[in-house]
Amino acid sequence: MLEHRPVMLSETLAGLAPRRDGIYVDATFGRGGHSAAILEKLGDSGQLHALDRDPQAAQSAWTRFGTHRNFRIHRRNFAELGALGSELGLESRVDGLLMDLGVSSPQFDDAGRGFSFANDGALDMRMDPESGESAAQWIGRAKEAEIADVLWTYGEERASRRIARRIVEARAVEPITRTVQLAELIARAVPGPRQKIHPATRSFQAIRIFINGELDALNAALQASRTLLAEGGRLAVISFHSLEDRIVKRFIREAGTSRREGAPSSHRFLEEVGLRNPDPKPEFRAVSREFPTDEECAANPRARSAVLRVAERQR
């Protein structure tokens, strides 16, 4: 079992550049490695709001930081970031917003959570095991075409149709309820020589992303950053696979395009008749793109696929 280590911690802090009196949001608390480092930078007037829908993560936050007056944990999906910001009156006041995507080490290493097939456990995969449909429940009822579509869309699994067919055939004999059971089924369905990664890796990723609505949540949180970040506020997002990173990259690029190019039709009409667009500046500017060092990857292999993108809300 790997110790939980916050990924790209020094790079993230450099990107956020926390001020002692600033307001910061850790939208994916996990086990609080990044939150702890941000709190160390804050003075008495600074604030850190953290979100996590996992009850174990929320409990960890209360245990570690419950006595800190400038820290608040909210047991919320980061898809609700915009609504929470509105409830707390944080619009245009947040100086830094962090999203560390994916699964935390404690979640991944707990066989009972069902995120990994390294050890046999219940096929759950929910970030919040108290709500929603588990992976086993979904696999037990989904149509073959839906399963194939999920594996292809969220895992880019080339053998998605073959795997989906085998799943449907197998569940007709007995329910698929265990991680190792599903992993072995997928391994038998994938043809050809064994690769460096287990043949079930992409499928497990795809099912997890789908069950938790992770990409929809990411899109919603990115859009919320437009209203929550103050002028000069920083957005820092750590992604772990290409689907996430493409969404973040596209958001920063599109939000960094002149508002004139993406302006409403009323603004374009004003320009066509020779009047100045009243709001032509880009919303964001890209600050940096960082990757983990070789030393970090050697110490924490789960950091290998990480990429950190930082953008700044324009003044």
Side-chain angles (χ1 to χ4, degrees):
M1 181 179 294
L2 293 177
E3 174 190 357
H4 174 66
R5 300 178 180 180
V7 171
M8 302 182 71
L9 180 58
S10 60
E11 295 89 343
T12 300
L13 286 179
L16 289 173
R19 304 195 321 266
R20 288 183 58 79
D21 60 347
I23 298 176
Y24 297 88
V25 175
D26 182 348
T28 51
F29 177 83
R31 287 303 182 270
H34 292 102
S35 281
I38 294 170
L39 277 172
E40 289 180 359
K41 300 291 184 180
L42 299 184
D44 291 339
S45 60
Q47 298 178 38
L48 174 61
H49 293 271
L51 289 75
D52 208 298
R53 57 176 150 173
D54 186 336
Q56 293 180 9
Q59 183 58 51
S60 174
W62 282 114
T63 301
R64 291 187 66 184
F65 307 121
T67 59
H68 289 247
R69 292 191 302 173
N70 53 359
F71 174 81
R72 287 185 64 184
I73 179 66
H74 308 271
R75 191 182 160 192
R76 303 277 286 268
N77 186 336
F78 77 126
E80 304 172 64
L81 183 59
L84 178 64
S86 179
E87 293 168 15
L88 299 175
L90 294 179
E91 292 100 332
S92 301
R93 296 180 59 208
V94 174
D95 297 294
L97 169 59
L98 168 65
M99 303 179 208
D100 179 5
L101 309 176
V103 182
S104 69
S105 292
Q107 289 173 322
F108 200 79
D109 290 329
D110 183 349
R113 300 298 299 272
F115 291 111
S116 170
F117 45 81
N119 297 297
D120 190 30
L123 189 59
D124 194 305
M125 296 195 190
R126 290 173 293 177
M127 297 290 189
D128 180 357
E130 297 176 2
S131 66
E133 187 176 41
S134 72
Q137 290 170 328
W138 176 73
I139 283 175
R141 65 152 185 87
K143 295 181 179 179
E144 180 179 325
E146 182 184 0
I147 296 172
D149 185 56
V150 165
L151 300 185
W152 172 252
T153 302
Y154 300 113
E156 299 177 320
E157 173 55 67
R158 294 180 179 179
S160 58
R161 293 183 180 179
R162 187 193 309 268
I163 293 170
R165 184 167 62 252
R166 294 291 178 86
I167 287 174
V168 170
E169 292 171 353
R171 78 185 184 192
V173 178
E174 63 175 338
I176 302 171
T177 61
R178 310 292 296 180
T179 55
V180 169
Q181 180 187 9
L182 177 60
E184 291 177 348
L185 186 159
I186 294 171
R188 291 193 298 270
V190 176
R194 291 297 173 91
Q195 304 297 317
K196 291 182 179 180
I197 64 171
H198 191 284
T201 301
R202 286 184 291 271
S203 295
F204 267 64
Q205 169 192 294
I207 295 169
R208 187 205 82 218
I209 290 172
F210 171 76
I211 288 294
N212 293 288
E214 293 178 35
L215 299 189
D216 289 338
L218 174 57
N219 275 309
L222 289 171
Q223 292 303 322
S225 72
R226 294 180 129 128
T227 57
L228 295 185
L229 284 173
E231 292 183 351
R234 293 285 181 89
L235 169 68
V237 185
I238 303 172
S239 305
F240 290 88
H241 59 76
S242 59
L243 292 174
E244 295 170 339
D245 187 49
R246 285 200 295 267
I247 290 172
V248 177
K249 178 181 178 181
R250 184 177 67 243
F251 171 79
I252 294 173
R253 184 181 67 241
E254 292 178 355
T257 301
S258 171
R259 293 177 185 172
R260 180 180 290 116
E261 295 179 22
S265 58
S266 58
H267 285 191
R268 292 196 298 270
F269 172 76
L270 291 176
E271 292 178 335
E272 288 171 2
V273 297
L275 298 179
R276 182 174 176 270
N277 183 341
D279 195 14
K281 293 195 306 179
E283 286 185 87
F284 285 81
R285 72 173 183 90
V287 174
S288 62
R289 181 183 64 161
E290 303 277 354
F291 299 94
T293 63
D294 292 341
E295 291 76 13
E296 178 173 7
C297 291
N300 181 14
R302 290 178 184 164
R304 285 177 297 191
S305 60
V307 54
L308 165 67
R309 292 185 187 270
V310 178
E312 182 178 277
R313 189 80 161 83
Q314 290 291 74
R315 299 181 184 276

